[in-house]
Amino acid sequence: MPKDAAVEEFARLVRALKARDGRSYEALGRRLSVSASTLHRYCSGATVPEEFAVVDRLALLCGADEEERRALEAAWSRADRTRRPPVPEPDAEPEPGPGPRPAPEPEAEPAPDPEPASEPEHEPELAPVHARAPGLPSGRRRSRWGWVGVVCGTLAVVGTVTLGAVLLPGKTEERAAEPPAPLTWTVASHIWKNGCGHTYLVDRTPPPPPEAADARSWAAARGAVDGGETMVRVSVQGKGAAAVVLQALHVRVVERGAPLPWAAYRMDDGCGGAVTPRRFEVDLDRPRPVARALAGYDASGEEGRTLPAVSFPYVVSAAEPEELLVSAGTAGCDCRWYLELEWSSEGRRGTVRIGDEDGAPFRTSASKGRPVYGYDSVGRAWITGESSGQSG
């Protein structure tokens, strides 16, 4: 493919991704940690990125699938080769032509067998000149004992270091500890859908439903567990001015059990909202749950509009936080789980584990088939789903 055609094909694919996302060069550039002018040069074909990583992040940010990313990488490789000078092939060395044969070396005459040497007469062994103090080992024994001393000394040093590591574990771990992650986060794990809709599983009849703001203390006092769905809001920001790239969000289920045999209590009589926020949805019943980006919907205006899903990577700093909303559901387990957030910044990479406000794993139990109760605010009592018109 000609040079200009390869670069133009790559630029066309980048422009298509940018047009699909709909955001400005400046907004996309902030998420990619590049300037708006640099991103514009990529789209116009004036510049080809030095590395594919920044283009791959753009593809993920704009929702490209695996096949589109492979095609984009192939186009980048072709465009990248056009800006590198061809490597000259080394000249082949000429093969040596036929030349005069070297004269054969004369064969050496066999040397005569040496005459057998006469055996020397045994002379009496003389006593050593130096004197040896009584009680000390001989020279050969002193050498042997010297090696024993070296080995014992080495073992003593190793034993001392090992003993120090056992007796002083705090100092050893302190020296080997990795520097802390360059980001911080806060968690809200008792989020109600649309601010009013939620279900708790409780093993005994609870008092009336709380306000949404008091849900955490109400649930903790009664040992209530999220029924069917848990919504988590994670607010992430960097600790300094350096950008921190959030690469991926994973879900780790640490314990699975049979669903709790408790009754389900609904915190509302049915409610709806004008805005369905974009979020990450997790199916806890899968063997390896993943956080899947979902679009939202805003019906507050005269015409509803879709809020496009935003996939990783995200870029955060101390001045630019980011908020992640996660909705995790189950229909068949009592699951305890964590979120694991991958990050990279200034040549470092790492993963932070995110639990609830106390650092414990989130907990969600299926509520399907359980007795469902709603609260009758007139009669001031919990009534069954059949009486209230609700069902599980």
Side-chain angles (χ1 to χ4, degrees):
M1 181 179 292
K3 173 180 178 180
D4 294 341
V7 174
E8 174 55 31
E9 173 63 15
F10 169 71
R12 183 187 66 80
L13 294 177
V14 177
R15 287 196 301 271
L17 287 173
K18 195 265 179 189
R20 177 196 301 179
D21 184 80
R23 278 176 286 189
S24 65
Y25 287 105
E26 185 177 358
L28 282 174
R30 280 200 304 267
R31 289 189 175 273
L32 299 173
S33 298
V34 300
S35 65
S37 58
T38 299
L39 183 58
H40 183 269
R41 288 197 295 271
Y42 295 162
C43 292
S44 65
T47 305
V48 177
E50 290 284 340
E51 297 180 352
F52 178 68
V54 64
V55 188
D56 193 36
R57 291 202 303 271
L58 174 64
L60 289 171
L61 194 60
C62 298
D65 57 26
E66 196 69 29
E67 184 176 351
E68 289 177 305
R69 291 168 60 196
R70 284 196 296 267
L72 183 63
E73 184 174 13
W76 172 84
S77 299
R78 290 191 295 269
D80 182 61
R81 283 195 296 268
T82 63
R83 60 184 178 84
R84 301 181 187 275
V87 180
E89 297 183 359
D91 297 332
E93 297 183 0
E95 296 183 0
R101 291 186 177 182
E105 297 181 0
E107 296 183 2
E109 296 182 1
D113 296 335
E115 296 182 3
S118 58
E119 295 183 0
E121 297 180 359
H122 292 283
E123 296 182 0
E125 186 176 341
L126 299 177
V129 177
H130 60 275
R132 178 167 59 88
L136 292 179
S138 65
R140 186 175 300 173
R141 292 177 61 193
R142 282 201 303 272
S143 176
R144 187 185 309 129
W145 279 102
W147 280 108
V148 172
V150 171
V151 173
C152 290
T154 304
L155 292 177
V157 172
V158 174
T160 303
V161 173
T162 305
L163 183 61
V166 173
L167 295 179
L168 303 172
K171 292 187 178 181
T172 305
E173 291 177 4
E174 184 178 348
R175 285 196 298 270
E178 289 290 332
L183 54 86
T184 184
W185 65 92
T186 56
V187 177
S189 62
H190 288 271
I191 303 297
W192 291 2
K193 184 178 293 185
N194 298 322
C196 58
H198 196 69
T199 298
Y200 285 110
L201 299 179
V202 189
D203 62 349
R204 57 189 178 278
T205 303
E211 296 294 328
D214 301 326
R216 182 187 173 200
S217 58
W218 184 94
R222 284 144 197 91
V225 175
D226 292 331
E229 181 183 32
T230 297
M231 296 193 71
V232 177
R233 180 183 291 121
V234 184
S235 301
V236 188
Q237 68 180 128
K239 292 181 177 178
V244 181
V245 181
L246 309 182
Q247 299 285 3
L249 183 67
H250 304 289
V251 181
R252 185 177 297 275
V253 177
V254 293
E255 185 178 338
R256 291 181 186 272
L260 295 172
W262 300 347
Y265 293 86
R266 288 185 167 171
M267 301 292 105
D268 65 292
D269 292 324
C271 65
V275 178
T276 301
R278 56 192 179 190
R279 63 200 182 279
F280 292 91
E281 188 175 72
V282 178
D283 182 0
L284 295 173
D285 293 326
R286 297 185 62 177
R288 293 183 178 180
V290 296
R292 187 165 58 94
L294 290 184
Y297 190 78
D298 184 359
S300 59
E302 294 182 1
E303 294 184 3
R305 65 186 184 94
T306 299
L307 305 176
V310 180
S311 301
F312 284 90
Y314 289 83
V315 177
V316 299
S317 66
E320 295 185 355
E322 191 65 66
E323 192 171 85
L324 310 176
L325 182 62
V326 180
S327 170
T330 175
C333 76
D334 176 13
C335 289
R336 300 173 190 261
W337 52 281
Y338 287 100
L339 294 172
E340 293 183 343
L341 185 62
E342 286 187 30
W343 61 267
S344 63
S345 178
E346 298 184 312
R348 296 173 53 210
R349 302 181 67 90
T351 302
V352 294
R353 172 172 282 192
I354 299 174
D356 65 12
E357 292 85 345
D358 300 319
F362 305 109
R363 186 178 184 185
T364 315
S365 182
S367 60
K368 187 176 181 180
R370 301 292 180 264
V372 179
Y373 291 87
Y375 190 73
D376 181 7
S377 57
V378 177
R380 299 181 178 275
W382 292 98
I383 57 177
T384 61
E386 290 79 3
S387 302
S388 63
Q390 303 180 68
S391 61

